[in-house]
Amino acid sequence: MDTSERLVESLENLGVERVFGYPGGRAIELFEGLRESSVDVVRPRDEREASVMAEMHGRLTGSPGVLTGQGPWIGSLGSIGQMEARLGSSPMVTITEASERGNYSTVAPYQQSRGDYGGLELPKILDAVTKEHWFPRSPTETVRSLQLAFKHAVAGRPGPTAVVLDGDAVTEEFDGDTLPPVWNDERQTRTWESRPTATDVARAAEALEAAERPVIVAGNGVHAADAYDELAAVAEAYDAAVATSYLGKSTIAETHPLAAGVIGSFGHEGANQVVSEADALLVVGCRLNPMDTNWQAPEFIRPDEQTIVHADIDSRNAGWVYPADVGLIGDAAESLGALADAGEASNDWASDRAERARESFTAPECESDASPILPQRAVKEIERVVDEDTVVTADSGNNRFWLLNYLQAPATGTYYGSGGVGAMGWAAPAAVSAALETDGDVIAVAGDGGFAMTMTSVETAVQQGVAPTFVVLNDTSLGMVRQMEGDVAGVEFHDTDFVAAARAFGADGIRATTPADLRDALDEATGSETATVIDARIDREQDMADTLQSSFYASVGGLHE
């Protein structure tokens, strides 16, 4: 077999069910092999959408999503999903190429990106957005590089890796009897979970047992480790309230008696207050970035007054932002599992305090029948159709913060947002990817700006035979910038007919101008076997930042996000 055929064999051996990509350049050799394989090809309309789909696959399943395509476009359009995967810890493998032109390489041929004078340098781009990348130049090196890409994508903190294929190495015959040898795919990509030391676990348990007001802050690392049961077990063992970061939303069911909501500058006021009142904090899989910490408002988290236990897969992250008293270094499931077995405690504070904190999930506006629809009410209508098998994908912008505050996730793994790099246009392709993976309902929520960026994902859903619901919270503007920055250019949009666009793609389209319209549309869409776009007209005067800004964020002057 030639090398490209051996690469396809590796994908099959490693259990890859589908790749997301766009044929072009020397990646075409790979696409030729995929045609006869058990691996499905999902071909969206461009590499940006493919990259987000691959990233979401990795985030949802814990197995690397595979992105493939021609180098210049994987390194430009396709960098969106890779950046999100890098900062959001999603396992992902990119297989691309440099459009090399052999003897013509020194005279700047069209599209070449291997780094010669007169061309682009794809490896430098990949170096900026991936954990690791390889540029193999022989068949043996190529196959081993793909194996290592799969290994590194899930080893330690998950993230994106990349292999840049060389034209000749892909088309040459693969010889299995070389030195160094190419080992069995499954054995070569095997990884092992790390876990904290017994001494550190005992010290963490002691701190939680001594606490009168213990609080857990759960981040995206709990999603990445599929450590939902272990998180709940620790909360119940030590009677601790659980708040989450933005990316940690739905790591615990937000209806759980110990769930307190989402912290942050536009998070729940109740959850922020709970964290500030804690005498011991267990931070799990969360780096505590400025948005999570209310831009380090002095009265929010106080290392001099609170005992901090920080659990993270990466030792650099434990105690990074705030000094930690104890570090638990290892996979979140391993750390939490060990901690749940190490002790127990009870108090008269956590359950009642969490219950009061959950009052932040609602507001009078959630019951409003006004038209245009108040975004708070729109979220509550979405919440009504979300059950434990539903996946909600949230875009960047105002829509994400309305969802964080008013969508009370009924189960773990039901909400995912763009928050690694915070890219607009993420929710729609992410929803298509989720719909390919799950039998439950999938609902993408985006503003009209973000949805328009990647609305051709609707056509991909139709082509793939899946039926996500795309809810567009439409205020005919770039709402977050318009509200936070005032009178600036470029924030108003033409009133696009998304219903007509949806029908042109082969999907259904419904316009909703009242809460009753939206309710009916959601019932119809989630019960349909056809992808549906709901153009929900929302009140553009509902100011997200003014409504949701936390008191801690206000105390540091409401820094620009």
Side-chain angles (χ1 to χ4, degrees), residues 25 70-73 97-101 108-114 119-120:
Q70 188 172 6
W73 321 123
E97 54 80 69
S99 295
E100 299 197 48
R101 294 295 186 269
Y110 181 58
Q111 297 179 338
Q112 180 166 285
S113 52
R114 76 177 191 181
L120 305 171

Short mmCIF file of all heavy atoms in Angstrom, two decimals, residues 25 70-73 97-101 108-114 119-120:
data_model
loop_
_atom_site.label_atom_id
_atom_site.label_comp_id
_atom_site.label_asym_id
_atom_site.label_seq_id
_atom_site.Cartn_x
_atom_site.Cartn_y
_atom_site.Cartn_z
N GLY A 25 -5.33 20.26 -2.43
CA GLY A 25 -3.89 20.04 -2.34
C GLY A 25 -3.56 18.56 -2.24
O GLY A 25 -4.25 17.70 -2.79
N GLN A 70 -6.50 21.29 2.80
CA GLN A 70 -5.32 21.89 2.21
C GLN A 70 -4.69 22.91 3.17
O GLN A 70 -5.37 23.69 3.83
CB GLN A 70 -5.68 22.57 0.89
CG GLN A 70 -4.48 23.06 0.09
CD GLN A 70 -4.87 23.54 -1.29
OE1 GLN A 70 -6.05 23.61 -1.63
NE2 GLN A 70 -3.89 23.88 -2.10
N GLY A 71 -3.35 22.92 3.21
CA GLY A 71 -2.61 23.68 4.19
C GLY A 71 -2.96 25.15 4.34
O GLY A 71 -3.21 25.61 5.46
N PRO A 72 -2.96 25.94 3.27
CA PRO A 72 -3.21 27.37 3.46
C PRO A 72 -4.55 27.68 4.12
O PRO A 72 -4.69 28.66 4.85
CB PRO A 72 -3.17 27.92 2.02
CG PRO A 72 -2.33 26.96 1.26
CD PRO A 72 -2.63 25.62 1.87
N TRP A 73 -5.54 26.81 3.88
CA TRP A 73 -6.88 27.09 4.41
C TRP A 73 -7.05 26.47 5.79
O TRP A 73 -7.77 27.02 6.63
CB TRP A 73 -7.93 26.59 3.42
CG TRP A 73 -7.50 26.84 2.01
CD1 TRP A 73 -7.35 25.94 1.00
CD2 TRP A 73 -7.08 28.10 1.46
NE1 TRP A 73 -6.87 26.55 -0.14
CE2 TRP A 73 -6.70 27.87 0.11
CE3 TRP A 73 -6.99 29.39 1.97
CZ2 TRP A 73 -6.24 28.89 -0.72
CZ3 TRP A 73 -6.52 30.41 1.14
CH2 TRP A 73 -6.15 30.16 -0.18
N GLU A 97 -1.42 19.58 4.70
CA GLU A 97 -0.27 19.47 3.80
C GLU A 97 0.20 20.87 3.45
O GLU A 97 -0.44 21.85 3.80
CB GLU A 97 -0.64 18.66 2.56
CG GLU A 97 -1.87 19.15 1.82
CD GLU A 97 -1.58 20.32 0.92
OE1 GLU A 97 -0.88 20.14 -0.08
OE2 GLU A 97 -2.07 21.43 1.22
N ALA A 98 1.35 20.97 2.79
CA ALA A 98 1.95 22.28 2.53
C ALA A 98 1.91 22.69 1.07
O ALA A 98 2.56 23.65 0.67
CB ALA A 98 3.39 22.29 3.03
N SER A 99 1.14 21.97 0.24
CA SER A 99 1.03 22.29 -1.19
C SER A 99 2.40 22.47 -1.84
O SER A 99 2.66 23.44 -2.56
CB SER A 99 0.17 23.55 -1.40
OG SER A 99 -1.16 23.31 -1.00
N GLU A 100 3.29 21.53 -1.55
CA GLU A 100 4.65 21.61 -2.08
C GLU A 100 4.65 21.37 -3.60
O GLU A 100 3.80 20.67 -4.12
CB GLU A 100 5.53 20.59 -1.38
CG GLU A 100 5.62 20.84 0.13
CD GLU A 100 6.77 20.11 0.76
OE1 GLU A 100 7.89 20.21 0.22
OE2 GLU A 100 6.57 19.46 1.78
N ARG A 101 5.62 21.95 -4.27
CA ARG A 101 5.67 21.86 -5.73
C ARG A 101 7.04 21.37 -6.22
O ARG A 101 7.49 21.74 -7.30
CB ARG A 101 5.35 23.22 -6.34
CG ARG A 101 3.91 23.70 -6.10
CD ARG A 101 2.88 22.80 -6.79
NE ARG A 101 1.53 23.34 -6.67
CZ ARG A 101 0.68 23.05 -5.69
NH1 ARG A 101 1.07 22.23 -4.72
NH2 ARG A 101 -0.53 23.56 -5.67
N ALA A 108 8.48 30.38 -5.67
CA ALA A 108 7.20 30.88 -5.12
C ALA A 108 5.97 30.39 -5.87
O ALA A 108 5.19 31.20 -6.37
CB ALA A 108 7.22 32.41 -5.07
N PRO A 109 5.76 29.08 -5.95
CA PRO A 109 4.53 28.60 -6.62
C PRO A 109 3.29 28.93 -5.80
O PRO A 109 3.34 29.13 -4.59
CB PRO A 109 4.76 27.09 -6.69
CG PRO A 109 5.68 26.78 -5.55
CD PRO A 109 6.58 27.97 -5.44
N TYR A 110 2.20 28.98 -6.52
CA TYR A 110 0.88 29.28 -5.98
C TYR A 110 0.54 28.37 -4.79
O TYR A 110 0.67 27.16 -4.88
CB TYR A 110 -0.11 29.08 -7.12
CG TYR A 110 -1.55 29.34 -6.85
CD1 TYR A 110 -1.99 30.58 -6.39
CD2 TYR A 110 -2.51 28.35 -7.11
CE1 TYR A 110 -3.33 30.82 -6.19
CE2 TYR A 110 -3.85 28.59 -6.92
CZ TYR A 110 -4.27 29.83 -6.45
OH TYR A 110 -5.60 30.07 -6.25
N GLN A 111 0.15 28.94 -3.67
CA GLN A 111 -0.37 28.27 -2.48
C GLN A 111 0.66 27.53 -1.64
O GLN A 111 0.33 27.03 -0.58
CB GLN A 111 -1.51 27.28 -2.85
CG GLN A 111 -2.73 27.96 -3.44
CD GLN A 111 -3.82 26.99 -3.81
OE1 GLN A 111 -3.56 25.80 -4.02
NE2 GLN A 111 -5.04 27.48 -3.93
N GLN A 112 1.91 27.46 -2.07
CA GLN A 112 2.87 26.70 -1.27
C GLN A 112 3.04 27.31 0.13
O GLN A 112 3.10 28.52 0.27
CB GLN A 112 4.24 26.64 -1.95
CG GLN A 112 5.27 25.86 -1.13
CD GLN A 112 6.49 25.51 -1.91
OE1 GLN A 112 6.47 24.62 -2.74
NE2 GLN A 112 7.58 26.23 -1.66
N SER A 113 3.13 26.44 1.14
CA SER A 113 3.17 26.94 2.51
C SER A 113 4.13 26.14 3.38
O SER A 113 3.88 25.92 4.55
CB SER A 113 1.77 26.91 3.13
OG SER A 113 1.16 25.64 2.98
N ARG A 114 5.26 25.74 2.78
CA ARG A 114 6.24 25.00 3.59
C ARG A 114 7.29 25.92 4.20
O ARG A 114 8.10 25.49 5.01
CB ARG A 114 6.90 23.90 2.77
CG ARG A 114 7.94 24.35 1.79
CD ARG A 114 8.59 23.17 1.08
NE ARG A 114 9.76 23.58 0.32
CZ ARG A 114 10.50 22.74 -0.40
NH1 ARG A 114 10.18 21.46 -0.44
NH2 ARG A 114 11.55 23.18 -1.05
N GLY A 119 6.83 32.14 -0.04
CA GLY A 119 5.64 31.36 0.30
C GLY A 119 5.22 31.59 1.74
O GLY A 119 5.82 32.37 2.48
N LEU A 120 4.17 30.92 2.14
CA LEU A 120 3.69 30.94 3.52
C LEU A 120 4.46 29.91 4.34
O LEU A 120 5.09 29.01 3.79
CB LEU A 120 2.20 30.61 3.57
CG LEU A 120 1.28 31.47 2.70
CD1 LEU A 120 -0.12 30.86 2.68
CD2 LEU A 120 1.23 32.90 3.21
#
